[in-house]
Amino acid sequence: MAPANAYFHSAGERVLADGKTIPPGQHEEFSDYIAAASFIHSADSWAYLGRALHAVLQGDVHGAVHLCYYAELRAAVSLLSTEGIYIGNRCTLALTNAGAVEVSGAGTHVAAWMVLDSWARSARARDLIGKILRPIGAPLHEWANNMGSGIQPVIEGLLNDIAFDLSTFSEDRNRRNHVSYQPTRVEPDDLSADESARIVDDVWTLLEPESRGTFPVLDRLLLRHLAVGVFAPTHEVVGADGMPTGLTDWTDWAAWLDSVAPGGAERDPYFASIRAKPNDATRDGSLEAAFTRNQGAPTTYVREMILRTTLLARLSTGACVELLDDSGLAADDVSTWVFGLGEARALWADDVPDPMVDLWADAQVAKEELEVASKTSHHALIKGMREYLAVLGQAERVAAWSFAS
C-alpha cells in the first residue's frame, strides 16, 4: 500500500469523516488498505497469542486470557478483511462491486463476532476453508468430496466442533472483561508449572511448518477429527435391544479411509497411523482441547481458549496467503514488510533467515528446552528456559515464515 493512499494514516477516522462510506473515487484505495490490513492484523494476532503463551509460562493465567482474547479478535478481523469486510469503530463495511455497504453500526468487538458468525455459515466460508486447509498435501475439499457428504457438512461440523459461533466468542469477551477488570487473586487460581508447559508445548507442536504458509501438523490433526466425525455416526454399534450403544464399529474404518484419501496419502506416516488407530490421545491430544467448552475459573478454560485462537489464527493466515496468491502477487511483494517486523520484534540477530521458514529452528530448540526444563515451580521453569523463554513468546514468527519466502 502506497503512503499516498488516502487510508494510509488513520483509516478509521477517515471513514467516519466521510460519513461511514467510501467515496467512489477512493474505492480502489480502500480495497488496497483492507487487503494490506489483513496481513497486519494476522501478524498482530500471532503476536498477542505469543504474549499469552509467555504469560502462561510465567503463571499469569488471567493475563493470558486477556491477551488471548485480543489475539482471537485480531485473527477474526484479519480473516474478514481478506473477504473485503472492514471492521471499524461503530462502522462495519462490506466491499461490493457497487461500492462499500455498511452492514453494522455496532462497536468493534460486537460487530466482529456478529459478522464472523454470519460469514462462517456462508458458501464463501466453506469454499475458502476447503482450499486453505491442506491435510497431507491435498486441499480439504478433495477429502470432503470423496467422503460423499461434500464440503458443506464437513466444514459446518468443523466450525461447530471448535465452537466457532457468536455465543462462544461473546463468552470469551465476557471472560476478557472478568480477568481485565476484576481483582485476580481474591481466590487464587493457578496452573502448575507442568500444566503451563504442556499448554505452550501443544501450541508450538501444532505450528511446525513444512514450507511457506503450511501447517502440516495442525491440518493433519483436523483431518483425523473430521474423518472420525463423518465415519462414526454411520457406523454405530447397535445393542441387543436394537438401540444404538453410543460406541463406534471400526471394522470398516481402514477401507473407508482408503476410499476417501486422495492419491499418495497412503505414503504419509500420519495417515498410516490413523488408518491403524483412529483414536490415540497421545498422538492427537495437542488439539483435542480445542473441541471442549468448560465453565468456571480461568484455569479451566485457558487451554481451550488458546487452542481455539490458534485455529482461528491459522485460518486467517491461510486466508492471507490465499489472497496474496489470488491477487497475482508473491511472497517477495510482502517481504520488505516482514523484514521490518522481524527486526523490530528481534526474531533474528543479524542476517535475515533464508528461507524464512528457518525461523522454526529457534522455536524447535526452545520447545526441546521446555520439554527438559524443571517444572517443580514456575520460577524453576523460567530460570531453566533462559533465553529460550522469549522465543516461545514470539508467535509472530508464524506470520513471518508464512508470508515471506
Side-chain angles (χ1 to χ4, degrees), residues 48-140:
Y48 276 120
L49 180 58
R51 307 308 179 266
L53 297 178
H54 191 270
V56 166
L57 288 175
Q58 292 190 314
D60 183 7
V61 179
H62 292 77
V65 170
H66 175 93
L67 291 161
C68 189
Y69 171 77
Y70 283 101
E72 198 174 45
L73 179 66
R74 287 299 193 97
V77 173
S78 169
L79 182 57
L80 293 172
S81 295
T82 68
E83 292 288 280
I85 300 171
Y86 164 79
I87 305 291
N89 182 24
R90 300 198 176 280
C91 176
T92 297
L93 303 174
L95 293 180
T96 70
N97 291 332
V101 177
E102 184 175 11
V103 296
S104 173
T108 303
H109 297 249
V110 173
W113 304 130
M114 181 177 65
V115 176
L116 184 67
D117 181 69
S118 177
W119 175 84
R121 303 171 193 276
S122 70
R124 287 185 63 88
R126 295 191 295 271
D127 290 344
L128 179 63
I129 295 173
K131 286 193 293 184
I132 63 179
L133 294 179
R134 298 184 60 85
I136 314 181
L140 181 62

XYZ file of all heavy atoms in Angstrom, residues 48-140:
690
model
N -0.071 -11.319 19.805
C -0.851 -11.400 21.042
C -0.888 -12.831 21.577
O -0.798 -13.059 22.787
C -2.284 -10.916 20.797
C -2.454 -9.415 20.879
C -2.916 -8.691 19.791
C -2.185 -8.732 22.062
C -3.094 -7.320 19.856
C -2.358 -7.353 22.135
C -2.817 -6.650 21.034
O -2.983 -5.289 21.111
N -1.016 -13.803 20.687
C -1.028 -15.196 21.126
C 0.306 -15.573 21.770
O 0.352 -16.265 22.801
C -1.327 -16.125 19.954
C -1.368 -17.630 20.278
C -2.419 -17.937 21.350
C -1.642 -18.449 19.021
N 1.396 -15.115 21.157
C 2.712 -15.368 21.737
C 2.844 -14.775 23.135
O 3.391 -15.406 24.055
N 2.329 -13.548 23.316
C 2.395 -12.931 24.634
C 1.520 -13.693 25.631
O 1.841 -13.768 26.828
C 1.955 -11.467 24.571
C 2.667 -10.599 23.550
C 4.199 -10.658 23.623
N 4.785 -9.815 22.607
C 5.172 -10.233 21.393
N 5.076 -11.509 21.074
N 5.682 -9.387 20.521
N 0.423 -14.253 25.150
C -0.421 -15.070 26.029
C 0.327 -16.321 26.470
O 0.255 -16.729 27.636
C -1.716 -15.452 25.306
N 1.068 -16.936 25.556
C 1.868 -18.117 25.902
C 2.946 -17.755 26.916
O 3.224 -18.518 27.858
C 2.491 -18.716 24.645
C 1.526 -19.260 23.592
C 2.300 -19.768 22.378
C 0.649 -20.372 24.172
N 3.554 -16.603 26.721
C 4.581 -16.134 27.657
C 3.969 -15.936 29.040
O 4.577 -16.310 30.070
C 5.188 -14.831 27.141
C 6.426 -14.395 27.861
N 6.385 -13.589 28.971
C 7.739 -14.668 27.627
C 7.620 -13.366 29.398
N 8.462 -14.014 28.606
N 2.763 -15.373 29.087
C 2.082 -15.169 30.369
C 1.778 -16.505 31.041
O 1.916 -16.640 32.265
C 0.793 -14.378 30.154
N 1.377 -17.494 30.260
C 1.106 -18.827 30.808
C 2.360 -19.389 31.466
O 2.311 -19.926 32.582
C 0.598 -19.785 29.705
C 0.644 -21.232 30.177
C -0.825 -19.423 29.303
N 3.491 -19.273 30.794
C 4.739 -19.805 31.339
C 5.147 -19.087 32.631
O 5.825 -19.673 33.479
C 5.863 -19.690 30.307
C 5.781 -20.653 29.122
C 6.884 -20.355 28.115
C 5.873 -22.106 29.588
N 4.724 -17.854 32.772
C 5.055 -17.097 33.983
C 4.002 -17.249 35.074
O 4.079 -16.596 36.114
C 5.242 -15.621 33.637
C 6.477 -15.368 32.773
C 6.796 -13.900 32.636
O 5.917 -13.091 32.379
N 8.055 -13.549 32.813
N 3.009 -18.097 34.824
C 1.991 -18.343 35.832
C 0.878 -17.323 35.865
O 0.055 -17.325 36.789
N 0.804 -16.446 34.881
C -0.208 -15.385 34.842
C -1.376 -15.822 33.949
O -1.462 -15.420 32.786
C 0.420 -14.088 34.330
C -0.555 -12.916 34.339
O -1.681 -13.070 34.864
O -0.191 -11.854 33.803
N -2.269 -16.613 34.486
C -3.387 -17.136 33.704
C -4.344 -16.024 33.295
O -4.845 -16.000 32.165
C -4.139 -18.228 34.500
C -5.323 -18.749 33.705
C -3.201 -19.368 34.856
N -4.610 -15.095 34.189
C -5.537 -14.000 33.874
C -4.987 -13.135 32.745
O -5.720 -12.746 31.828
C -5.801 -13.151 35.123
C -6.567 -13.863 36.189
N -5.989 -14.803 37.022
C -7.865 -13.786 36.555
C -6.903 -15.266 37.848
N -8.058 -14.663 37.595
N -3.697 -12.832 32.807
C -3.088 -12.076 31.722
C -3.134 -12.827 30.413
O -3.328 -12.240 29.345
N -2.972 -14.139 30.482
C -3.026 -14.961 29.273
C -4.402 -14.900 28.624
O -4.523 -14.800 27.400
C -2.656 -16.405 29.607
N -5.456 -14.956 29.437
C -6.820 -14.878 28.892
C -7.051 -13.520 28.247
O -7.632 -13.426 27.150
C -7.865 -15.137 30.008
C -9.276 -14.828 29.515
C -7.774 -16.596 30.478
N -6.622 -12.455 28.897
C -6.761 -11.103 28.351
C -6.096 -11.004 26.974
O -6.703 -10.559 25.994
C -6.137 -10.097 29.317
C -6.123 -8.688 28.815
N -7.124 -7.778 29.094
C -5.229 -8.026 28.026
C -6.845 -6.625 28.509
N -5.696 -6.745 27.861
N -4.846 -11.443 26.889
C -4.098 -11.359 25.634
C -4.659 -12.303 24.577
O -4.697 -11.967 23.392
C -2.630 -11.678 25.899
C -1.875 -10.633 26.724
C -0.606 -11.236 27.317
C -1.538 -9.422 25.867
N -5.103 -13.462 25.007
C -5.652 -14.438 24.067
C -6.916 -13.907 23.404
O -7.135 -14.126 22.210
C -5.934 -15.740 24.808
S -6.385 -17.109 23.730
N -7.730 -13.209 24.171
C -8.946 -12.652 23.569
C -8.597 -11.687 22.445
O -9.221 -11.710 21.371
C -9.792 -11.926 24.625
C -10.926 -11.171 23.978
C -12.064 -11.835 23.531
C -10.840 -9.797 23.754
C -13.082 -11.147 22.890
C -11.854 -9.102 23.125
C -12.978 -9.785 22.691
O -13.978 -9.107 22.045
N -7.598 -10.841 22.652
C -7.241 -9.886 21.603
C -6.586 -10.580 20.413
O -6.724 -10.126 19.266
C -6.362 -8.769 22.175
C -7.182 -7.774 22.949
C -7.224 -7.796 24.333
C -7.985 -6.852 22.284
C -8.022 -6.913 25.043
C -8.787 -5.962 22.982
C -8.803 -5.999 24.359
O -9.609 -5.123 25.054
N -5.890 -11.677 20.667
C -5.372 -12.473 19.555
C -6.527 -13.039 18.736
O -6.496 -13.039 17.496
C -4.504 -13.609 20.091
N -7.536 -13.507 19.426
C -8.724 -14.058 18.785
C -9.435 -12.990 17.950
O -9.812 -13.222 16.794
C -9.649 -14.564 19.899
C -10.722 -15.538 19.502
C -11.436 -16.053 20.743
O -11.787 -15.251 21.637
O -11.655 -17.269 20.812
N -9.593 -11.811 18.536
C -10.267 -10.711 17.847
C -9.498 -10.289 16.605
O -10.081 -10.100 15.525
C -10.415 -9.526 18.804
C -11.094 -8.279 18.223
C -12.553 -8.564 17.890
C -10.984 -7.102 19.206
N -8.180 -10.140 16.729
C -7.386 -9.719 15.569
C -7.422 -10.775 14.461
O -7.445 -10.438 13.274
C -5.942 -9.461 15.990
C -5.740 -8.205 16.777
C -6.139 -6.953 15.978
N -5.649 -5.751 16.620
C -4.533 -5.122 16.300
N -3.785 -5.578 15.313
N -4.172 -4.035 16.941
N -7.404 -12.040 14.820
C -7.495 -13.089 13.804
C -8.833 -13.014 13.074
O -8.896 -13.184 11.850
C -7.319 -14.464 14.443
N -9.898 -12.757 13.809
C -11.218 -12.632 13.197
C -11.258 -11.443 12.241
O -11.765 -11.552 11.110
C -12.280 -12.464 14.284
N -10.712 -10.302 12.673
C -10.709 -9.106 11.824
C -9.847 -9.343 10.586
O -10.197 -8.919 9.470
C -10.210 -7.886 12.623
C -10.033 -6.674 11.712
C -11.193 -7.556 13.749
N -8.736 -10.042 10.741
C -7.881 -10.372 9.599
C -8.625 -11.244 8.596
O -8.616 -10.974 7.383
C -6.624 -11.102 10.088
O -5.911 -11.661 9.007
N -9.251 -12.287 9.092
C -9.981 -13.200 8.216
C -11.073 -12.468 7.449
O -11.230 -12.645 6.229
C -10.577 -14.331 9.056
C -11.352 -15.432 8.334
C -10.507 -16.103 7.258
C -11.844 -16.468 9.342
N -11.824 -11.625 8.132
C -12.891 -10.873 7.472
C -12.317 -9.859 6.480
O -12.924 -9.605 5.426
C -13.759 -10.177 8.519
C -14.568 -11.123 9.417
C -15.232 -10.351 10.553
C -15.620 -11.878 8.607
N -11.159 -9.294 6.789
C -10.532 -8.332 5.873
C -10.191 -8.993 4.540
O -10.330 -8.366 3.483
C -9.275 -7.744 6.504
O -9.580 -6.972 7.642
N -9.737 -10.241 4.582
C -9.416 -10.930 3.325
C -10.656 -11.134 2.470
O -10.558 -11.342 1.262
C -8.757 -12.303 3.577
O -9.711 -13.207 4.162
C -7.540 -12.180 4.469
N -11.824 -11.054 3.088
C -13.092 -11.198 2.382
C -13.704 -9.850 2.012
O -14.861 -9.772 1.598
C -14.076 -11.994 3.243
C -13.698 -13.444 3.427
C -13.902 -14.245 2.145
O -15.045 -14.636 1.853
O -12.917 -14.449 1.413
N -12.922 -8.768 2.186
C -13.401 -7.438 1.813
C -14.339 -6.819 2.820
O -15.175 -5.978 2.472
N -14.200 -7.211 4.081
C -15.066 -6.679 5.136
C -14.216 -5.861 6.102
O -13.237 -6.357 6.659
C -15.788 -7.810 5.891
C -16.657 -8.609 4.919
C -16.648 -7.243 7.022
C -17.242 -9.875 5.505
N -14.586 -4.616 6.285
C -13.865 -3.693 7.164
C -14.593 -3.610 8.501
O -15.792 -3.312 8.556
C -13.802 -2.309 6.514
C -13.438 -1.179 7.457
C -12.121 -0.957 7.833
C -14.434 -0.324 7.960
C -11.788 0.088 8.688
C -14.113 0.724 8.812
C -12.788 0.916 9.181
O -12.469 1.945 10.019
N -13.878 -3.916 9.597
C -14.434 -3.797 10.940
C -13.839 -2.556 11.584
O -12.649 -2.516 11.912
C -14.104 -5.031 11.802
C -14.565 -6.318 11.116
C -14.730 -4.900 13.189
C -16.055 -6.495 11.027
N -14.650 -1.521 11.742
C -14.181 -0.282 12.352
C -14.959 0.051 13.598
O -15.789 -0.739 14.071
N -14.704 1.226 14.136
C -15.380 1.666 15.352
C -16.798 2.119 15.020
O -17.009 3.176 14.440
C -14.596 2.806 16.009
C -15.237 3.260 17.298
O -15.964 2.516 17.934
N -14.959 4.500 17.688
N -17.753 1.277 15.360
C -19.168 1.530 15.074
C -19.437 1.741 13.584
O -20.313 2.514 13.191
C -19.684 2.717 15.897
C -19.551 2.470 17.390
C -20.403 3.382 18.234
N -20.293 3.035 19.642
C -20.939 2.031 20.246
N -21.763 1.285 19.533
N -20.776 1.776 21.528
N -18.647 1.065 12.797
C -18.843 1.123 11.345
C -18.222 -0.103 10.704
O -16.995 -0.240 10.687
C -18.217 2.390 10.762
S -18.318 2.478 8.950
N -19.050 -0.995 10.209
C -18.572 -2.184 9.512
C -19.051 -2.106 8.073
O -20.251 -1.975 7.811
C -19.104 -3.471 10.171
O -18.587 -3.549 11.506
C -18.685 -4.704 9.396
N -18.095 -2.162 7.144
C -18.405 -2.025 5.727
C -18.030 -3.296 4.976
O -17.030 -3.948 5.292
C -17.632 -0.849 5.123
C -17.836 0.532 5.749
C -16.885 1.539 5.108
C -19.279 0.984 5.609
N -18.830 -3.628 3.982
C -18.520 -4.753 3.094
C -18.341 -4.204 1.686
O -19.190 -3.452 1.185
C -19.647 -5.781 3.113
N -17.226 -4.557 1.059
C -16.975 -4.105 -0.304
C -17.769 -4.954 -1.290
O -17.755 -6.181 -1.226
C -15.489 -4.184 -0.628
C -14.568 -3.238 0.132
C -13.129 -3.442 -0.311
C -14.995 -1.796 -0.092
N -18.444 -4.289 -2.205
C -19.181 -4.965 -3.269
C -18.798 -4.324 -4.595
O -18.103 -3.301 -4.628
C -20.699 -4.841 -3.069
O -21.090 -3.471 -3.303
C -21.113 -5.231 -1.650
N -19.247 -4.923 -5.682
C -18.967 -4.336 -6.992
C -19.581 -2.947 -7.136
O -19.114 -2.125 -7.927
C -19.502 -5.253 -8.089
C -18.722 -6.544 -8.182
O -17.547 -6.590 -7.842
N -19.371 -7.608 -8.634
N -20.636 -2.705 -6.357
C -21.313 -1.411 -6.435
C -20.746 -0.397 -5.456
O -21.187 0.747 -5.420
C -22.807 -1.598 -6.179
N -19.782 -0.799 -4.646
C -19.209 0.097 -3.659
C -19.238 -0.516 -2.273
O -19.495 -1.708 -2.113
N -18.991 0.318 -1.263
C -18.976 -0.159 0.121
C -20.361 -0.017 0.736
O -21.019 1.012 0.591
C -17.962 0.635 0.929
N -20.786 -1.069 1.428
C -22.108 -1.087 2.055
C -21.933 -1.271 3.551
O -21.205 -2.163 3.996
C -22.966 -2.238 1.491
C -24.314 -2.288 2.202
C -23.150 -2.078 -0.009
N -22.586 -0.414 4.347
C -22.498 -0.575 5.795
C -23.377 -1.743 6.223
O -24.566 -1.812 5.879
C -22.935 0.694 6.526
C -22.750 0.586 8.040
C -23.063 1.878 8.777
O -23.625 2.802 8.156
O -22.744 1.945 9.986
N -22.810 -2.672 6.978
C -23.559 -3.850 7.415
C -23.795 -3.859 8.916
O -24.582 -4.663 9.412
C -22.839 -5.158 6.997
C -22.786 -5.272 5.489
C -21.430 -5.235 7.594
N -23.122 -2.966 9.643
C -23.345 -2.893 11.084
C -22.827 -1.579 11.617
O -21.821 -1.055 11.139
C -22.644 -4.054 11.803
O -22.733 -3.905 13.212
N -23.523 -1.052 12.622
C -23.071 0.142 13.310
C -22.638 -0.166 14.728
O -22.434 0.737 15.537
N -22.506 -1.463 15.024
C -22.119 -1.883 16.371
C -20.640 -1.609 16.613
O -19.866 -1.382 15.680
C -22.419 -3.375 16.550
N -20.242 -1.657 17.873
C -18.837 -1.483 18.227
C -17.975 -2.594 17.661
O -18.475 -3.641 17.239
N -16.676 -2.358 17.667
C -15.732 -3.286 17.030
C -15.894 -4.718 17.521
O -15.981 -5.658 16.724
C -14.289 -2.823 17.294
O -14.133 -1.482 16.814
C -13.293 -3.733 16.593
N -15.942 -4.913 18.834
C -15.973 -6.258 19.390
C -17.276 -6.977 19.027
O -17.258 -8.121 18.570
C -15.813 -6.210 20.912
C -14.502 -5.652 21.354
N -13.530 -6.408 21.954
C -13.981 -4.406 21.265
C -12.476 -5.649 22.236
N -12.729 -4.428 21.823
N -18.390 -6.309 19.215
C -19.683 -6.929 18.889
C -19.780 -7.200 17.397
O -20.192 -8.285 16.967
C -20.838 -6.022 19.349
C -22.185 -6.587 18.866
C -20.833 -5.882 20.868
N -19.393 -6.222 16.585
C -19.510 -6.370 15.131
C -18.634 -7.499 14.610
O -19.058 -8.283 13.754
C -19.139 -5.059 14.442
N -17.422 -7.605 15.108
C -16.504 -8.635 14.608
C -17.091 -10.022 14.785
O -17.100 -10.832 13.849
C -15.158 -8.532 15.329
N -17.581 -10.312 15.980
C -18.113 -11.661 16.215
C -19.444 -11.872 15.508
O -19.722 -12.974 15.024
C -18.254 -11.910 17.716
C -16.975 -11.723 18.461
C -16.773 -10.976 19.587
C -15.685 -12.275 18.127
N -15.462 -11.040 19.973
C -14.768 -11.828 19.101
C -15.221 -13.102 17.103
C -13.417 -12.180 19.087
C -13.872 -13.453 17.084
C -12.993 -12.998 18.057
N -20.260 -10.843 15.403
C -21.536 -10.977 14.720
C -21.334 -11.259 13.232
O -21.961 -12.161 12.654
C -22.365 -9.693 14.896
C -23.732 -9.731 14.228
S -24.654 -8.210 14.559
C -23.624 -7.006 13.707
N -20.422 -10.504 12.602
C -20.172 -10.689 11.174
C -19.459 -12.011 10.920
O -19.755 -12.714 9.949
C -19.354 -9.506 10.613
C -19.001 -9.740 9.154
C -20.145 -8.207 10.757
N -18.526 -12.383 11.805
C -17.824 -13.656 11.631
C -18.799 -14.824 11.738
O -18.716 -15.792 10.973
C -16.727 -13.803 12.684
C -15.858 -15.063 12.547
C -15.021 -14.994 11.280
C -14.964 -15.235 13.767
N -19.724 -14.735 12.683
C -20.734 -15.782 12.846
C -21.562 -15.935 11.579
O -21.828 -17.052 11.117
C -21.639 -15.428 14.031
C -22.702 -16.473 14.292
O -22.353 -17.584 14.732
O -23.885 -16.182 14.052
N -21.945 -14.817 10.979
C -22.722 -14.855 9.741
C -21.884 -15.381 8.580
O -22.332 -16.221 7.787
C -23.246 -13.443 9.427
O -23.944 -13.423 8.201
N -20.643 -14.910 8.480
C -19.759 -15.350 7.394
C -19.495 -16.846 7.466
O -19.449 -17.530 6.441
C -18.438 -14.578 7.470
C -17.415 -15.048 6.479
C -17.302 -14.660 5.169
C -16.371 -16.015 6.703
N -16.259 -15.325 4.569
C -15.669 -16.158 5.482
C -15.981 -16.755 7.800
C -14.585 -17.023 5.355
C -14.912 -17.612 7.685
C -14.214 -17.749 6.456
N -19.322 -17.368 8.679
C -18.984 -18.783 8.849
C -20.065 -19.698 8.299
O -19.805 -20.877 7.998
C -18.740 -19.087 10.323
N -21.282 -19.199 8.147
C -22.390 -20.011 7.637
C -22.559 -19.887 6.123
O -23.479 -20.472 5.552
C -23.687 -19.592 8.333
C -23.631 -19.689 9.844
C -24.856 -19.051 10.501
N -24.666 -18.864 11.925
C -24.878 -19.799 12.843
N -25.298 -20.991 12.456
N -24.675 -19.553 14.119
N -21.669 -19.140 5.482
C -21.830 -18.854 4.057
C -21.066 -19.830 3.177
O -20.141 -20.522 3.623
C -21.340 -17.429 3.758
O -19.921 -17.356 3.895
N -21.450 -19.858 1.899
C -20.745 -20.699 0.932
C -19.305 -20.218 0.745
O -18.406 -21.026 0.508
C -21.487 -20.675 -0.405
N -19.082 -18.916 0.857
C -17.722 -18.380 0.727
C -16.810 -18.945 1.811
O -15.649 -19.257 1.560
C -17.743 -16.852 0.797
C -18.305 -16.176 -0.443
C -18.171 -14.662 -0.336
N -16.782 -14.247 -0.282
C -16.026 -13.997 -1.339
N -16.532 -14.145 -2.547
N -14.777 -13.601 -1.197
N -17.322 -19.067 3.029
C -16.521 -19.624 4.119
C -16.154 -21.074 3.820
O -15.005 -21.487 4.002
C -17.287 -19.532 5.437
N -17.122 -21.851 3.368
C -16.855 -23.258 3.054
C -15.828 -23.392 1.942
O -14.924 -24.222 2.004
C -18.160 -23.963 2.662
C -19.171 -24.054 3.792
C -20.298 -24.974 3.450
N -21.109 -24.492 2.334
C -22.159 -23.700 2.468
N -22.524 -23.282 3.671
N -22.858 -23.324 1.411
N -15.951 -22.546 0.916
C -15.009 -22.615 -0.206
C -13.599 -22.238 0.242
O -12.618 -22.889 -0.135
C -15.456 -21.673 -1.330
C -16.726 -22.161 -2.029
O -17.070 -23.355 -1.854
O -17.365 -21.354 -2.725
N -13.503 -21.171 1.038
C -12.184 -20.703 1.462
C -11.509 -21.721 2.380
O -10.347 -22.086 2.167
C -12.311 -19.361 2.182
C -10.996 -18.760 2.702
C -10.045 -18.460 1.554
C -11.266 -17.491 3.522
N -12.218 -22.188 3.389
C -11.629 -23.139 4.330
C -11.303 -24.451 3.629
O -10.298 -25.103 3.930
C -12.573 -23.355 5.527
C -12.703 -22.052 6.313
C -12.052 -24.474 6.435
C -13.735 -22.086 7.418
N -12.132 -24.833 2.667
C -11.860 -26.047 1.901
C -10.595 -25.961 1.079
O -9.984 -26.991 0.752
N -10.167 -24.727 0.765
C -8.926 -24.543 0.000
C -7.709 -24.380 0.889
O -6.630 -24.902 0.577
C -9.052 -23.306 -0.913
C -9.932 -23.514 -2.130
C -9.774 -22.386 -3.135
C -10.301 -21.070 -2.600
N -10.239 -19.996 -3.632
N -7.848 -23.645 1.992
C -6.647 -23.289 2.748
C -6.189 -24.391 3.697
O -5.000 -24.453 4.032
C -6.831 -21.958 3.517
C -7.933 -22.061 4.560
C -7.092 -20.828 2.552
C -8.129 -20.768 5.363
N -7.089 -25.246 4.149
C -6.658 -26.402 4.942
C -6.184 -27.484 3.973
O -6.923 -27.892 3.083
C -7.802 -26.930 5.808
C -8.303 -26.007 6.922
C -9.452 -26.673 7.677
C -7.180 -25.643 7.890
N -4.953 -27.935 4.165
C -4.360 -28.884 3.225
C -3.743 -30.080 3.963
O -2.524 -30.231 4.035
C -3.300 -28.191 2.359
C -3.839 -27.064 1.480
C -2.744 -26.498 0.578
N -2.199 -27.503 -0.313
C -2.715 -27.832 -1.481
N -3.840 -27.248 -1.902
N -2.143 -28.750 -2.238
N -4.584 -30.930 4.524
C -4.035 -32.095 5.228
C -3.380 -33.083 4.266
O -3.946 -33.440 3.234
C -5.261 -32.709 5.906
C -6.432 -32.244 5.091
C -6.057 -30.882 4.593
N -2.173 -33.480 4.584
C -1.403 -34.445 3.804
C -1.292 -34.006 2.343
O -1.401 -34.793 1.406
C -1.987 -35.873 3.928
C -2.277 -36.175 5.412
C -1.019 -36.924 3.390
C -2.823 -37.550 5.684
N -1.106 -32.688 2.149
C -0.803 -32.168 0.830
C -1.965 -31.949 -0.108
O -1.781 -31.447 -1.216
N -3.174 -32.301 0.297
C -4.349 -32.122 -0.576
C -5.338 -31.181 0.096
O -5.539 -31.251 1.313
C -5.009 -33.466 -0.855
N -5.973 -30.278 -0.653
C -6.946 -29.369 -0.038
C -8.096 -30.141 0.598
O -8.491 -31.215 0.118
C -7.422 -28.498 -1.204
C -7.057 -29.256 -2.443
C -5.844 -30.053 -2.104
N -8.637 -29.592 1.664
C -9.679 -30.285 2.419
C -10.880 -30.619 1.541
O -11.538 -31.644 1.754
C -10.110 -29.423 3.607
C -11.186 -30.027 4.504
C -10.701 -31.326 5.146
C -11.606 -29.021 5.577
